[in-house]
Amino acid sequence: MVRSLKNPKKAKRKNKQGGKKGEGSSNEVPSLPAKVWQPGVDKLEEGEELQCDPSAYNSLHAFHIGWPCLSFDVLRDSLGLVRTEFPHTVYCVAGTQAEKSSWNSIGIFKLSNISGKRRDLVPNKTGDETDMDSDSSDSDEEEEEEAGSGTPVLQLRKVFHEGCVNRIRAMTQNPHIVASWGDTGHVQVWDFSSHLNALAESESDLSHGASAVSNQSPLVKFGGHKDEGYAIDWSPLVPGRLVSGDCKNCIHLWEPTSGTTWNIDANPFVGHSASVEDLQWSPTEPSVFASCSVDGSIGIWDIRVGKSPATTIKAHKADVNVISWNRLASCMLASGSDDGTFSIRDLRLLKEGDAVVAHFEYHKHPITSVEWSPHEPSTVAVSSSDNQLTIWDLSLERDEEEEAEFKAKMKEEVNAPTDLPPQLLFVHQGQKDLKELHWHSQIPGMVISTAADGFNILMPSNIENALPANDA
């Protein structure tokens, strides 16, 4: 159960992105070959420092909206279902964890002019160049010029929120409708259509310092939970259907009665013996949802059949913090635990007993977020309290012949650790106290993450995009 941001302070922009380890900036000592640094495994020696390898990213940007945010969500927009060309524009909502309760707000923001570049997995090398540094730097500059440059433009509008925002989620079908879980114990539903319309029409840079906090009444303010909570999810199949779970193990079902009103069942679903940490609706069954709990279990529920879980799975030895239901392969459910492990289950195997098809112990600190890619059914992203965001492709297996060919083509040693799981596709570092990540459903390969020191937008260069580039 890792959730709260400890001693939250006003966020400051940070450009440090960990990823590679190299020598310090001494001119007297020749630099050593860079190698991948593993938190919790490797130690920084005297004179060594962490440095980002920019060639690992097609795009990487950092920003903040003021106070740190424990939770956010990416909003679906009308700019194109599949967008592959830079610069990009994204819309998000985020809830703050301010130092004082009365300072909290929900930020509705638009980030535009997100620049980036495209790189070949293996750089083209012609001849026996001797001045590799100058050649590569010139090549990088050309690539960046082709893809556009400049600083992303942040436009932000704020709405007052009573207390810290534990979790925030936008409705898939109507993204201007947003639900927030507050540490006051209230679940609120908001209509942010006016703010989104204003952001869509405006091209000016509205900095967070100049953006006033507006007072807006929510559509609904539900106080029926007996405690605060963190679990909430909108149905991807039934517009407006919502579930919310609290720290007293109760789950309430919200059924829409119109576009702006709900009938909230006062009789909760109860099956866990401890706090409900996360909820996920099935991507294919409109009446089925999953839950996970501090009691170490995952529950599968059917709202048509009573108030108890249809199936209970003993999932992890510690708290189960987060779950994600794969929308492209609906039999797959991912879960992340307080002990740093995360597992993948094939729900078709539940009747046979052990449904675990993959279990990873790479992270050594609690898993704080897990989410399947909306574009690749075998790819999942994970964040942890060890300050790492990792991306995994479960379809990968180690191929020694392919690795040897790659090293030969690079004409140099590839200093990659040999003990990393072959399914580990990418490691992103540099953010402190990572809390939540989301893929962008309309921009293949884009991941957005939030941490104590603000947000990152990243697009790893080794995630291949199999979608046609002209489907914008």
Side-chain angles (χ1 to χ4, degrees), residues 213-331:
V213 179
S214 64
N215 280 302
Q216 177 178 334
S217 298
L219 297 173
V220 180
K221 184 177 182 180
F222 177 60
H225 282 284
K226 297 180 180 179
D227 196 0
E228 67 175 310
Y230 294 80
I232 195 166
D233 194 41
W234 293 101
S235 168
L237 301 176
V238 182
R241 180 174 283 175
L242 182 74
V243 278
S244 56
D246 60 38
C247 295
K248 293 289 188 184
N249 77 352
C250 293
I251 301 169
H252 288 272
L253 173 66
W254 301 49
E255 289 284 17
T257 53
S258 72
T260 56
T261 57
W262 284 261
N263 178 26
I264 308 167
D265 193 343
N267 186 17
F269 293 83
V270 179
H272 291 291
S273 59
S275 172
V276 178
E277 298 292 277
D278 202 4
L279 291 162
Q280 283 273 285
W281 283 101
S282 164
T284 56
E285 299 289 337
S287 62
V288 175
F289 69 88
S291 62
C292 66
S293 170
V294 166
D295 64 16
S297 72
I298 292 174
I300 307 294
W301 312 69
D302 190 328
I303 63 175
R304 301 168 298 183
V305 189
K307 299 290 185 179
S308 299
T311 303
T312 300
I313 308 162
K314 181 58 181 176
H316 291 270
K317 296 178 181 178
D319 305 2
V320 188
N321 295 331
V322 285
I323 52 176
S324 178
W325 208 319
N326 194 326
R327 296 194 178 188
L328 297 180
S330 60
C331 59

Side-chain angles (χ1 to χ4, degrees), residues 75-199:
L75 305 183
R76 290 186 65 86
D77 56 52
S78 58
L79 300 178
L81 293 178
V82 180
R83 309 203 291 274
T84 59
E85 299 301 322
F86 293 105
H88 287 300
T89 297
V90 301
Y91 290 84
C92 297
V93 289
T96 66
Q97 296 268 310
E99 187 175 339
K100 293 184 179 180
S101 180
S102 60
W103 293 352
N104 281 291
S105 63
I106 294 175
I108 307 102
F109 61 89
K110 169 186 176 183
L111 196 70
S112 55
N113 195 40
I114 300 170
S115 60
K117 53 186 175 290
R118 295 197 175 280
R119 293 176 179 271
D120 293 329
L121 187 59
V122 178
N124 293 321
K125 294 184 180 180
T126 57
D128 295 322
E129 296 100 327
T130 55
D131 191 3
M132 296 301 294
D133 290 338
S134 63
D135 286 347
S136 61
S137 63
D138 291 342
S139 174
D140 290 349
E141 289 175 5
E142 289 175 4
E143 287 176 355
E144 291 197 26
E145 287 176 0
E146 291 174 2
S149 60
T151 304
V153 177
L154 175 66
Q155 296 167 256
L156 172 66
R157 296 173 71 91
K158 297 178 181 179
V159 173
F160 171 75
H161 187 276
E162 183 183 357
C164 295
V165 179
N166 291 343
R167 195 158 289 172
I168 190 165
R169 293 289 182 266
M171 190 192 303
T172 304
Q173 302 87 347
N174 299 302
H176 60 280
I177 303 296
V178 175
S180 65
W181 236 130
D183 67 357
T184 59
H186 295 99
V187 179
Q188 300 178 84
V189 177
W190 310 79
D191 183 350
F192 291 144
S193 55
S194 62
H195 301 284
L196 290 170
N197 290 338
L199 289 173

Side-chain angles (χ1 to χ4, degrees), residues 20-24 31-35 44 47-51:
K20 296 283 185 178
K21 184 173 77 170
E23 279 293 302
S31 62
L32 298 176
K35 67 177 184 178
L44 282 178
E48 290 184 322
E49 63 180 16
L50 291 177
Q51 294 180 343

Side-chain angles (χ1 to χ4, degrees), residues 326-396:
N326 194 326
R327 296 194 178 188
L328 297 180
S330 60
C331 59
M332 296 296 177
L333 185 72
S335 58
S337 173
D338 230 30
D339 61 10
T341 65
F342 69 97
S343 301
I344 311 297
R345 283 177 171 78
D346 186 338
L347 300 179
R348 297 172 298 183
L349 304 177
L350 284 178
K351 294 181 180 180
E352 302 175 12
D354 188 8
V356 177
V357 293
H359 180 75
F360 296 96
E361 299 180 354
Y362 170 82
H363 290 284
K364 306 304 180 187
H365 295 274
I367 303 298
T368 58
S369 189
V370 60
E371 188 169 287
W372 291 100
S373 166
H375 297 102
E376 297 293 339
S378 62
T379 301
V380 64
V382 179
S383 69
S384 168
S385 296
D386 62 9
N387 300 330
Q388 292 186 84
L389 186 160
T390 53
I391 299 176
W392 304 74
D393 186 343
L394 304 183
S395 68
L396 294 178

